Amino acid sequence: MKKQIMMILVMLTCTITISGVVSAADPYDIGVNVTQQAMANTNLGLNTSESNLLITTASTAHLNGQTTEDSVQGIVDTANTLPKNSQKITYGQGNLLVLNDPNGPLEFTFVSKSTNQALRAQKYTVDSTGTINFGDVVYILADPNMSQEAWNYAIQQLGNNAYDIMAIANLWSQGAPADLLATTYSTKTIGQGNMINYAIVKQFQQNYPVSTGKCNYIFSSAGGYNDEAALQGEFDFSYELYLLNGGDPNKVGIMQYDSDTKTGLFALLKMNDLRSTYGTVVSGTLSELLFNNWLYNNYLKANRLDQLYNVLMLKQIGESDYKYLWYDPITGSGHGLDEAYISKLGNFAGTFDQSKTVIPITDINTMNQIGKNSFTLASTDPAYLANLGYTGTLVEMQTTFMKDLVNGKIGVIATPYYQNFNGVSLVGLLDGINQDNVFNIHTLMTDTHPWNHAQGYLGILFFRLVNVDPINSANTVINKLMIKVEPDGFGGFTYTNGTSGPGYINMMPLMFAQKAPWNFLRVFMKVGCPRCLQEDLDAAKFGLGKYPLQQFEQYILMSIPVTAASSSEGNWGKNAAVRMGLFGVSPSLGTYLSSGGPMTTTNQPTQYPEYILIKWNYRTSTGIAALIQYDLSAMNVLMAADGYSNSGNWHLDKVYHDTGNNYLNAMFCVVREIPLTQDSYEALTAVGGDPVDFLLNYVVPVTPTPITPTPSTPGTSGNGFNTINGALANVWNSLESSSTSTNEITPRLPLEQNIPATTTTTNSSTASLPIATILGIIFLIIAAILVYLGKDIIVATFKGHKRPGK
């Protein structure tokens, strides 16, 4: 017996060792742990590589309801010990790619690029217990000589999004620009559609830049990976999407309309599928990776953009055309990309130049130096230190600044690395500011607002927490220093200091000081406008709380442009950033949809719909759709009752601390919820329809009442067999639910395909069923059989007087 116990212990030890399992609980410790393991793995070679990349869901994913941004900081801190800057994982050099997946697992994939250009990857996944599972290091370079066996093994070790990881890593290795790779935040992959859309959006902006009064309306089909580039701020948030199901997925329309002059233009563009030019391409295979690299190098990088897409029409539009296409007040909806209508419009007196390059210049050293200079001025120059409220001798001011920095009282807000300044990528700027890794993910804040990078200068804000009142945010004192960096006309830059700026420079530091929820802060950094943001944060939190996801479910969200101030033309993109971030939806994935709507700023109602939330079960192709409505007057009453006149302070002090969501439940409601089948879903989301009207007037099909069966007599298929069938069904359902893990919808992989992401040993499918439950079910089945056989026969059998069959 003792020998058997020892053998079991040895087997358990071997299983744990082979499976690659490590336990950790705190997000920061998890980040440290996975990085230490990755750095220690000589096969991965993070210490000897030319450069490294991290692809992760950290900071967007949750672990038992807890946010995971600190795991990113654990990685950055640990990787900071690597010998070369290009090997370190940092916030500013574009090698930290975050995939927005708030409803998915916490994952980290480390990628190393060796000096001979070889790419290797290793994936770490954290389960709900804090256990870290990891697979083997695999070779992922798009190499035509890669064997099928090596490909299959890489797919197995990297899990159900293996292809997408390899696609992103290979284009990163090819030198794809930061603003292109940043679109993977919401697409979670990259390929032909992303690259062509990137070229279209950037060249349209080059030809017809937005200005005061103008807005770009983009018409597209859902799910074509061709809608994300605009969401990165190329149009400075002056855009809206008409994105519903139906139409030609290869065509995109961009309508630029001037609300002052009531005139504009419409460009109809066709994306060219170059797979036939390349050769045989099978989606989700090595051939597609090779095709992606070929497309990037020979067309996007080589500036042969006229081969990527064609300009089919360039038309003049007026107010009636705008209403017909975007929103018709008579019908309550727009007609979308109606080619027959567009073709009859008059030609626009202009051209569309496709010769200009779209890939920005990358000058890491210059941007790094700008960041360093800005930090040096903020921390050492007496005039700059005075703006932060420091007094005394220069030495005393500098010393106090460094103490505050160490204690987390100094923060900075700058433009993220994936934005551009005068055609130059901002890769390197944040790392220059954070040259000694003195800031962290909470104090090194970013903001995509065009005010800080698209007005002819770079705005870099340093702030200092002087006094923080955790109860009343109005009493919190924050000093600010705004550094403006402008080209001097001779290849250099000038630096000036001030304290003024747009609203975000007040709200973002205050959110940090009052410890606002990370989920809100992270989407705020994608938007930067407090005036139009708060309502959308509240609306998203209400919907998430009202409709949590269950197994095999996903969110699909339909945006409804309305007459509210937060939904004016200039703010649609900001609303989208909030909703996409918190719900984990995306236009390119077909999970973020939008129709046209009235955009007047007069006679605004106090109650209006925010969005339609669809909770869809992709196993059964059924779901529900709920219309979420906002009551502005209710918010004003609640805020006044608490003695507040400032919505920002009220949210920080009251709403964010309301764990029962009482405030949100008073401000928002579900107007109507309807069940959905595949047919009703397609009708709700169809091009040219009015989704709100459809939902409000949808007639729910009546389910016929089942007829009660006549009780059976002994010897027929009656109650006894019904009991048996029910018991068997319960056993099957229990076994199925315990053995089936959540499998997310992954592009190019069959839904039922269950590829192990690690070598972790899987427990038996009945492991979660208590033995007493199993025995009880067996007993019930036996009892049901006995009941079926009949009382007399049973009694006779037990007494031995009679045997069945005689």
Side-chain angles (χ1 to χ4, degrees):
M1 183 65 180
K2 183 176 180 181
K3 182 177 180 181
Q4 290 175 329
I5 293 174
M6 290 301 295
M7 287 295 292
I8 292 173
L9 290 174
V10 170
M11 289 174 65
L12 287 173
T13 302
C14 290
T15 299
I16 293 173
T17 302
I18 293 172
S19 64
V21 177
V22 178
S23 293
D26 179 77
Y28 183 86
D29 293 339
I30 288 173
V32 172
N33 197 315
V34 297
T35 312
Q36 288 177 338
Q37 293 183 72
M39 289 169 58
N41 194 319
T42 55
N43 291 329
L44 184 59
L46 297 181
N47 299 274
T48 57
S49 66
E50 176 183 294
S51 54
N52 298 322
L53 168 70
L54 174 67
I55 304 171
T56 181
T57 61
S59 78
T60 70
H62 297 83
L63 188 61
N64 297 321
Q66 183 180 10
T67 58
T68 56
E69 71 277 8
D70 287 340
S71 63
V72 177
Q73 189 60 44
I75 290 172
V76 171
D77 289 344
T78 308
N80 192 52
T81 61
L82 289 168
K84 294 165 55 177
N85 287 333
S86 60
Q87 295 171 340
K88 299 174 181 179
I89 305 298
T90 70
Y91 296 112
Q93 65 175 321
N95 68 344
L96 171 54
L97 295 182
V98 174
L99 309 183
N100 185 45
D101 196 4
N103 309 307
L106 177 59
E107 297 179 341
F108 311 87
T109 301
F110 291 90
V111 179
S112 66
K113 179 181 179 181
S114 66
T115 53
N116 65 358
Q117 307 305 300
L119 281 182
R120 294 178 175 83
Q122 185 178 34
K123 186 175 185 179
Y124 295 77
T125 303
V126 185
D127 64 22
S128 59
T129 67
T131 302
I132 302 170
N133 303 289
F134 56 89
D136 287 344
V137 175
V138 289
Y139 183 78
I140 63 168
L141 180 68
D143 182 350
N145 297 318
M146 187 179 193
S147 68
Q148 187 64 48
E149 182 181 9
W151 171 265
N152 292 342
Y153 192 64
I155 290 288
Q156 181 190 59
Q157 294 300 304
L158 294 178
N160 62 356
N161 62 340
Y163 171 83
D164 301 320
I165 289 173
M166 289 190 279
I168 295 170
N170 272 276
L171 275 183
W172 165 79
S173 176
Q174 294 294 313
D179 57 351
L180 172 60
L181 290 174
T183 63
T184 60
Y185 167 80
S186 48
T187 65
K188 304 186 183 92
T189 190
I190 198 163
Q192 177 176 233
N194 309 73
M195 287 187 270
I196 298 178
N197 172 245
Y198 174 83
I200 288 175
V201 167
K202 300 196 79 171
Q203 286 203 324
F204 187 92
Q205 177 66 4
Q206 290 171 351
N207 281 276
Y208 301 103
V210 291
S211 58
T212 303
K214 293 181 180 179
C215 181
N216 292 334
Y217 299 83
I218 305 172
F219 297 79
S220 183
S221 297
Y225 293 96
N226 56 358
D227 307 292
E228 232 68 17
L231 303 180
Q232 298 303 321
E234 191 63 35
F235 291 158
D236 294 341
F237 294 113
S238 296
Y239 68 92
E240 297 193 37
L241 287 182
Y242 187 105
L243 186 73
L244 295 173
N245 286 311
D248 189 337
N250 295 317
K251 291 180 180 177
V252 177
I254 303 181
M255 175 176 68
Q256 185 175 93
Y257 183 69
D258 190 323
S259 58
D260 295 330
T261 64
K262 310 298 182 185
T263 60
L265 66 96
F266 194 104
L268 181 62
L269 313 157
K270 182 179 182 297
M271 302 168 60
N272 296 326
D273 188 349
L274 297 182
R275 286 178 295 183
S276 59
T277 303
Y278 172 79
T280 302
V281 179
V282 179
S283 295
T285 67
L286 176 62
S287 64
E288 189 173 15
L289 292 185
L290 292 167
F291 167 70
N292 289 343
N293 289 353
W294 172 83
L295 186 72
Y296 172 74
N297 287 301
N298 291 283
Y299 291 89
L300 195 60
K301 185 178 178 181
N303 202 38
R304 296 169 62 195
L305 307 184
D306 58 340
Q307 302 298 305
L308 294 179
Y309 70 96
N310 296 329
V311 181
L312 301 181
M313 301 182 200
L314 199 59
K315 298 291 185 176
Q316 178 79 37
I317 64 166
E319 184 177 12
S320 61
D321 307 315
Y322 162 79
K323 290 180 178 179
Y324 179 88
L325 297 169
W326 174 250
Y327 180 77
D328 187 337
I330 297 177
T331 63
S333 62
H335 293 78
L337 194 59
D338 186 336
E339 289 190 50
Y341 179 90
I342 297 167
S343 65
K344 297 176 183 178
L345 298 174
N347 292 330
F348 181 73
T351 59
F352 198 105
D353 184 4
Q354 292 181 267
S355 66
K356 297 180 180 180
T357 184
V358 295
I359 296 179
I361 299 168
T362 300
D363 187 349
I364 295 179
N365 293 333
T366 295
M367 288 300 159
N368 194 272
Q369 192 60 51
I370 290 175
K372 287 182 178 179
N373 292 344
S374 299
F375 178 79
T376 300
L377 287 169
S379 59
T380 62
D381 188 280
Y384 288 70
L385 287 167
N387 276 350
L388 288 171
Y390 292 106
T391 59
T393 67
L394 179 59
V395 173
E396 289 172 339
M397 294 193 324
Q398 292 173 345
T399 301
T400 308
F401 176 94
M402 295 309 296
K403 287 181 179 179
D404 286 345
L405 182 63
V406 171
N407 292 326
K409 294 182 179 180
I410 299 291
V412 63
I413 304 173
T415 311
Y417 73 88
Y418 52 82
Q419 296 288 330
N420 303 312
F421 174 63
N422 293 341
V424 180
S425 170
L426 292 180
V427 168
L429 177 67
L430 292 177
D431 289 347
I433 296 171
N434 195 29
Q435 54 192 298
D436 296 317
N437 200 35
V438 292
F439 294 100
N440 57 51
I441 194 170
H442 296 280
T443 56
L444 185 64
M445 307 171 78
T446 58
D447 187 88
T448 59
H449 198 289
W451 187 88
N452 62 15
H453 67 280
Q455 308 294 329
Y457 61 85
L458 285 175
I460 301 173
L461 176 79
F462 288 85
F463 63 87
R464 174 195 177 201
L465 306 185
V466 179
N467 178 67
V468 176
D469 186 335
I471 299 175
N472 188 347
S473 57
N475 294 331
T476 293
V477 178
I478 302 174
N479 290 339
K480 294 174 286 292
L481 162 67
M482 176 64 77
I483 299 178
K484 290 186 177 181
V485 184
E486 300 177 87
D488 62 7
F490 302 99
F493 297 89
T494 61
Y495 299 78
T496 56
N497 67 327
T499 59
S500 62
Y504 78 85
I505 73 169
N506 296 319
M507 192 60 185
M508 287 184 70
L510 189 60
M511 291 180 74
F512 165 72
Q514 304 302 132
K515 301 186 185 303
W518 168 256
N519 278 332
F520 289 0
L521 196 54
R522 76 177 179 88
V523 295
F524 195 114
M525 289 191 280
K526 286 280 186 180
V527 178
C529 179
R531 179 181 63 83
C532 61
L533 176 69
Q534 194 61 69
E535 179 185 318
D536 296 295
L537 289 173
D538 291 343
K541 186 177 180 183
F542 173 80
L544 289 165
K546 199 77 173 177
Y547 295 98
L549 291 178
Q550 305 300 323
Q551 191 176 31
F552 309 127
E553 290 182 342
Q554 67 177 134
Y555 289 123
I556 301 172
L557 193 141
M558 299 188 71
S559 175
I560 305 169
V562 293
T563 55
S566 69
S567 297
S568 63
E569 280 96 342
N571 294 323
W572 187 98
K574 300 170 185 176
N575 302 342
V578 173
R579 294 165 179 173
M580 288 168 59
L582 296 181
F583 284 99
V585 293
S586 162
S588 285
L589 299 178
T591 53
Y592 187 76
L593 309 176
S594 180
S595 63
M599 303 305 298
T600 60
T601 57
T602 59
N603 300 319
Q604 296 177 1
T606 58
Q607 295 181 352
Y608 45 84
E610 288 279 350
Y611 57 85
I612 294 174
L613 180 60
I614 298 171
K615 200 167 71 156
W616 186 253
N617 187 307
Y618 49 81
R619 279 287 184 92
T620 63
S621 293
T622 59
I624 61 97
L627 179 61
I628 309 299
Q629 179 168 286
Y630 178 58
D631 189 341
L632 177 61
S633 60
M635 189 205 75
N636 291 331
V637 170
L638 292 169
M639 191 166 64
D642 287 334
Y644 284 81
S645 59
N646 183 286
S647 174
N649 294 128
W650 179 62
H651 275 85
L652 290 170
D653 299 343
K654 298 294 184 180
V655 181
Y656 290 161
H657 298 285
D658 177 21
T659 56
N661 288 338
N662 296 311
Y663 286 108
L664 296 180
N665 291 333
M667 292 187 288
F668 297 88
C669 70
V670 177
V671 177
R672 192 183 185 209
E673 175 188 317
I674 63 171
L676 290 178
T677 62
Q678 185 67 44
D679 289 341
S680 56
Y681 167 76
E682 291 175 359
L684 173 66
T685 61
V687 168
D690 183 344
V692 174
D693 181 73
F694 179 92
L695 190 148
L696 292 177
N697 295 288
Y698 178 72
V699 178
V700 179
V702 178
T703 304
T705 304
I707 300 174
T708 304
T710 304
S712 60
T713 57
T716 64
S717 179
N719 295 335
F721 273 115
N722 289 338
T723 304
I724 295 170
N725 290 335
L728 289 173
N730 290 336
V731 172
W732 174 253
N733 289 335
S734 298
L735 292 175
E736 186 183 48
S737 63
S738 63
S739 63
T740 306
S741 58
T742 302
N743 190 359
E744 297 189 10
I745 294 178
T746 304
R748 310 170 188 86
L749 287 180
L751 190 60
E752 301 297 331
Q753 187 172 341
N754 188 15
I755 299 176
T758 70
T759 53
T760 305
T761 303
T762 304
N763 291 331
S764 168
S765 62
T766 59
S768 62
L769 284 176
I771 187 64
T773 301
I774 297 174
L775 292 175
I777 292 172
I778 294 173
F779 176 77
L780 287 174
I781 295 173
I782 294 173
I785 294 172
L786 294 179
V787 171
Y788 163 71
L789 291 176
K791 178 179 178 183
D792 294 336
I793 297 176
I794 297 169
V795 172
T797 301
F798 277 109
K799 290 183 177 180
H801 295 303
K802 183 179 177 181
R803 288 176 295 185
K806 291 209 174 180

